[in-house]
């Protein structure tokens, strides 16, 4: 769709709504604010002078203080009257160059900090903006006051957390910078799911022993269930002498002693529903009259929580867009893209198409729940029977991409291996035994051709030839 050929925004608005209609209901309800913009180019055609709203969900409208019907067709400069220059640059790069950007600003017009992820869409000249509105008033005031060493440190580290780049590198660099300010033995970012607690990131001073391997899969109930009892007025856990825990928390005390922990501060961070995500922890820090360590740790933990939450949501969106939710295998779209890339890079490659025999019978007789278990077990067996990536194309159809130069006989070995994987019942309980067979066919490049679409047709044809042969043999034996 060429944006320059459209005189009004009508088609674009329709496309924007269609874009989000295609998202699953789960994705629509993700706790993020998002909007779709049409970028308005400058006369030179090398940048943006503004951007117009084509779509915005309720969370976004609440964040910018507009009713949904009134926001449509408004401009970006209407809602962000300040700090627009960088935002417009990023929307332009996303819409016309396919670049994704992460950015944080303080909007005086809105009165709070806003985190943005600006990404391209499948609508030419448009981009999607995912926003988090940081409206903790005490956090805003502290970040805006830049008249102290502590506040300067907060601003510097907050910028690091909000910067673009590899998530893991950003977190590690942030801990290193924080260590230069508070001079602790070790720093950790701990993550929890309310069942276990894991050290995701660690910084150690020179000569200090790393404990990150020991701080994995810790029992949340055993070590952290009472953490709220130790929150002080600053909403952080501050233990100046670990020996005070010897009687009240013996398991925690023993763990601290083994780790050489004499004193520590842990600041919790949360998701948008105030569910605990984890802690920022400093071990054996050195008190400094110029730095308010408690304030620094507490404030930075807010930014860590926002960044981890957004990173997790983006990972989830990316995963759901590329994987089959039931089996965990990569999906049809990724198979098609991977096949195209492989065909460009390699002369020798191939594909298998695999279809289940008797799956409909099992699904109809035992129900969809059992049918789902059959599909999940099928995915496990196919993956175990081949050294190559397995994809679920949909229903009971699967594919395997061979991105290697192997002989025809090795392709036949894979066929035999796939067949052997289903010689035993796929599900077996006291109530039922389910046997599932497979029909498979392969196509090789360059023997069968080099065009990916032709190879798919050949593999599909051979798969159905095998399916027909199996059916005929069954009919013959039944007679």
């Amino acid at each position: 769709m060429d944006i320059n050929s459209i005189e009004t925004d009508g088609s674009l608005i329709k496309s924007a709504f269609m874009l989000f209609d295609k998202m699953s209901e789960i994705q629509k309800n993700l706790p993020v604010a998002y909007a779709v913009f049409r970028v308005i180019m400058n006369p030179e055609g090398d940048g943006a002078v503004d951007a117009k709203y084509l779509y915005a969900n309720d969370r976004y409208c609440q964040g910018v203080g507009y009713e949904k019907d009134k926001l449509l067709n408004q401009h970006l400069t209407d809602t962000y009257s300040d700090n627009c220059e960088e935002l417009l640059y990023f929307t332009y790069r996303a819409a016309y160059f396919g670049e994704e950007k992460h950015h944080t600003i303080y909007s005086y017009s809105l009165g709070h900090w806003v985190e943005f992820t600006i990404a391209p869409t499948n609508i030419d000249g448009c981009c999607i903006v995912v926003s988090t509105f940081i409206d903790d008033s005490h956090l805003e005031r502290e970040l805006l006051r830049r008249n102290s060493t502590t506040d300067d440190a907060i601003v510097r580290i907050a910028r690091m957390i909000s910067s673009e780049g590899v998530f893991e590198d950003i977190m590690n660099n942030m801990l290193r910078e924080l260590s230069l300010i508070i001079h602790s033995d070790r720093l950790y970012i701990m993550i929890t799911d309310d069942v276990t607690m894991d050290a995701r990131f660690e910084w150690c001073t020179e000569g200090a022993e790393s404990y990150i391997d020991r701080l994995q899969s810790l029992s949340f109930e055993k070590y952290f269930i009472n953490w709220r009892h130790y929150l002080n007025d600053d909403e952080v856990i501050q233990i100046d002498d670990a020996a005070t825990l010897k009687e009240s928390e013996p398991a925690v005390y023993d763990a601290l002693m083994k780790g050489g922990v004499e004193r520590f501060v842990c600041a919790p961070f949360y998701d948008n529903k105030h569910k605990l995500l984890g802690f920022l922890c400093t071990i054996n820090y050195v008190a400094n009259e110029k730095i308010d360590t408690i304030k620094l740790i507490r404030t930075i933990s807010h930014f860590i929580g926002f960044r981890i939450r957004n990173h997790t949501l983006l990972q989830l969106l990316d995963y759901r867009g590329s994987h089959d939710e039931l089996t965990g295998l990569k999906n049809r779209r990724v198979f098609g893209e991977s096949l195209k890339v492989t065909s460009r890079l390699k002369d020798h490659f191939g594909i298998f198409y695999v279809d289940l025999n008797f799956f409909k019978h099992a699904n109809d007789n035992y129900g969809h729940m059992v049918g789902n278990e059959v599909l999940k077990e099928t995915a496990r067996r196919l993956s175990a029977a081949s050294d190559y990536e397995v994809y679920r194309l949909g229903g009971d159809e699967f594919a395997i991409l061979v991105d290697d130069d192997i002989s025809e006989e090795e392709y036949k070995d894979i066929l035999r291996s796939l067949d052997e994987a289903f010689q035993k019942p796929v599900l077996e309980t006291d109530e039922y035994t389910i046997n599932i067979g497979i029909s498979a066919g392969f196509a090789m490049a360059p023997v069968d051709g080099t065009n990916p679409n032709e190879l798919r047709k050949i593999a599909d044809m051979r798969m159905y030839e095998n399916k027909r042969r199996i059916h005929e043999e069954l009919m013959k034996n039944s007679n």
Side-chain angles (χ1 to χ4, degrees), residues 123-142:
I123 310 173
D124 291 344
C126 299
C127 65
I128 181 173
V129 175
V130 180
S131 304
T132 299
F133 301 93
I134 308 171
D135 56 4
D136 297 82
S137 59
H138 69 280
L139 180 59
E140 294 162 18
R141 289 195 300 270
E142 288 172 0

Side-chain angles (χ1 to χ4, degrees), residues 356-394:
L356 299 188
N357 300 327
F358 318 120
F359 174 72
K360 186 177 186 304
H361 178 268
N363 207 38
D364 291 346
N365 282 274
Y366 300 103
H368 293 298
M369 294 292 289
V370 173
N372 287 343
E373 291 303 313
V374 169
L375 292 171
K376 287 191 281 188
E377 179 61 21
T378 295
R380 285 190 286 267
R381 293 193 185 188
L382 291 176
S383 298
S386 169
D387 294 330
Y388 302 100
E389 188 86 57
V390 179
Y391 303 78
R392 186 184 178 198
L393 303 184

Side-chain angles (χ1 to χ4, degrees), residues 53 60-66 76 78-83 87 105-114 116 131-135 140:
Y53 286 93
Y60 189 97
C61 295
Q62 291 168 9
V64 296
Y66 273 77
L76 180 65
D78 294 329
T79 50
Y80 298 98
S81 57
D82 48 22
N83 298 322
L87 281 179
I105 64 169
Y106 182 82
S107 173
Y108 291 93
S109 58
L110 297 181
H112 48 232
W113 290 81
V114 187
F116 296 94
S131 304
T132 299
F133 301 93
I134 308 171
D135 56 4
E140 294 162 18

Side-chain angles (χ1 to χ4, degrees), residues 139 141-159 177-178 181-182 287-300 303:
L139 180 59
R141 289 195 300 270
E142 288 172 0
L143 288 170
L144 291 173
R145 285 200 321 268
R146 310 213 177 178
N147 57 356
S148 72
T149 304
T150 300
D151 291 319
D152 288 342
I154 289 172
V155 171
R156 185 167 73 254
I157 294 176
R159 283 175 175 168
E177 181 72 13
L178 188 56
I181 300 170
I182 63 176
N288 185 335
E289 292 182 358
K290 294 182 179 180
I291 293 291
D292 185 341
T293 301
I294 303 303
K295 175 182 175 181
L296 177 61
I297 294 295
R298 182 195 69 227
T299 306
I300 292 304
F303 280 93

Side-chain angles (χ1 to χ4, degrees), residues 25 68 70 136 153 166 170 179 183 240 249 285 305 330 350 365 372 428:
E25 289 302 316
K68 198 167 187 177
K70 293 182 179 179
D136 297 82
V166 178
I170 290 170
S179 73
H183 305 291
D240 294 324
E249 302 285 348
Y285 70 95
K330 291 179 181 177
N365 282 274
N372 287 343
E428 197 166 15

